[in-house]
Amino acid sequence: GAGANGVKFFATTKSGVAIPESSLIGAWLNPNQTINTLLWCRDVLAGANAGKWIPSTTGSEIVINGTPGVDTSSWNAFDATLSIVSGKLQVQSIVDYGFALQALTGLIVGNAYFVSVDFTKVGGNAYISIASTSTGAGTIIAGPVLTASGTGVFTFVATAATLYLRLQVNTPVAGDVAQFANITCKQSGV
């Protein structure tokens, strides 16, 4: 079968029975390709994120105002000031490690969710995580630390119906700035 980074596709089960074509809806299989897409499979990111995998997603967007254009509504500031700069949510630390926080509501306990955030480095690194409290404490899922502009992606399994997405300036310097855009969280299909 064709494979991508060690993942193999087989046209038959281990007993030799053909896998129904309906299981491969949307699949494009080409034995001459190094990467093939399968239903409920993962996509390969390009550019700076090459080699990272993202799961397919289902359902509605959970983040409110994830592509901030005019205001910071639905985001709460902790030890930081929030503003919109060039269509991005800008977080500037008042002390050190300031962050923006948003409640992710309606999660289904035990289900996996996918988070993706575009980060622009202005003065500080970024840390993206999921917290268990409305104050941003009790981080339960450590996401990526970004030291250069790019996209941070990770998955988490919901442990409560409401958790909190935390976008942090990850430097111990008051006044450091990080910018975030295209902030998304959806239920993972994988």
Side-chain angles (χ1 to χ4, degrees), residues 17-34:
V17 177
I19 296 173
E21 189 173 314
S22 62
S23 297
L24 302 175
I25 294 173
W28 180 70
L29 303 176
N30 180 342
N32 298 318
Q33 287 295 114
T34 57

Side-chain angles (χ1 to χ4, degrees), residues 42-61:
R42 298 173 185 240
D43 297 322
V44 178
L45 297 174
N49 292 307
K52 294 181 182 175
W53 291 86
I54 59 172
S56 59
T57 56
T58 62
S60 302
E61 178 58 56

Side-chain angles (χ1 to χ4, degrees), residues 109-128:
V109 174
N111 282 6
Y113 292 85
F114 171 72
V115 174
S116 176
V117 179
D118 290 346
F119 162 65
T120 301
K121 183 171 179 143
V122 177
N125 298 330
Y127 174 54
I128 303 164

Side-chain angles (χ1 to χ4, degrees):
N5 290 343
V7 177
K8 294 281 235 175
F9 163 77
F10 297 94
T12 62
T13 65
K14 67 180 181 178
S15 340
V17 177
I19 296 173
E21 189 173 314
S22 62
S23 297
L24 302 175
I25 294 173
W28 180 70
L29 303 176
N30 180 342
N32 298 318
Q33 287 295 114
T34 57
I35 298 174
N36 286 302
T37 58
L38 302 176
L39 180 66
W40 308 118
C41 195
R42 298 173 185 240
D43 297 322
V44 178
L45 297 174
N49 292 307
K52 294 181 182 175
W53 291 86
I54 59 172
S56 59
T57 56
T58 62
S60 302
E61 178 58 56
I62 298 168
V63 173
I64 300 168
N65 196 18
T67 306
V70 288
D71 63 38
T72 60
S73 63
S74 72
W75 292 97
N76 296 310
F78 289 84
D79 295 328
T81 55
L82 305 181
S83 59
I84 302 298
V85 176
S86 301
K88 299 174 185 171
L89 176 65
Q90 179 166 290
V91 181
Q92 182 171 15
S93 288
I94 294 171
V95 290
D96 54 1
Y97 301 105
F99 59 93
L101 191 76
Q102 184 179 132
L104 302 176
T105 60
L107 303 177
I108 300 169
V109 174
N111 282 6
Y113 292 85
F114 171 72
V115 174
S116 176
V117 179
D118 290 346
F119 162 65
T120 301
K121 183 171 179 143
V122 177
N125 298 330
Y127 174 54
I128 303 164
S129 62
I130 300 295
S132 59
T133 69
S134 61
T135 61
T139 300
I140 58 164
I141 301 295
V145 173
L146 302 169
T147 58
S149 296
T151 302
V153 297
F154 69 103
T155 58
F156 69 94
V157 174
T159 56
T162 300
L163 294 172
Y164 300 86
L165 178 59
R166 180 176 162 149
L167 307 177
Q168 179 177 326
V169 180
N170 198 45
T171 49
V173 180
D176 267 359
V177 173
Q179 294 177 342
F180 303 94
N182 301 316
I183 306 157
T184 184
C185 178
K186 289 186 176 183
Q187 187 172 337
S188 174
V190 178

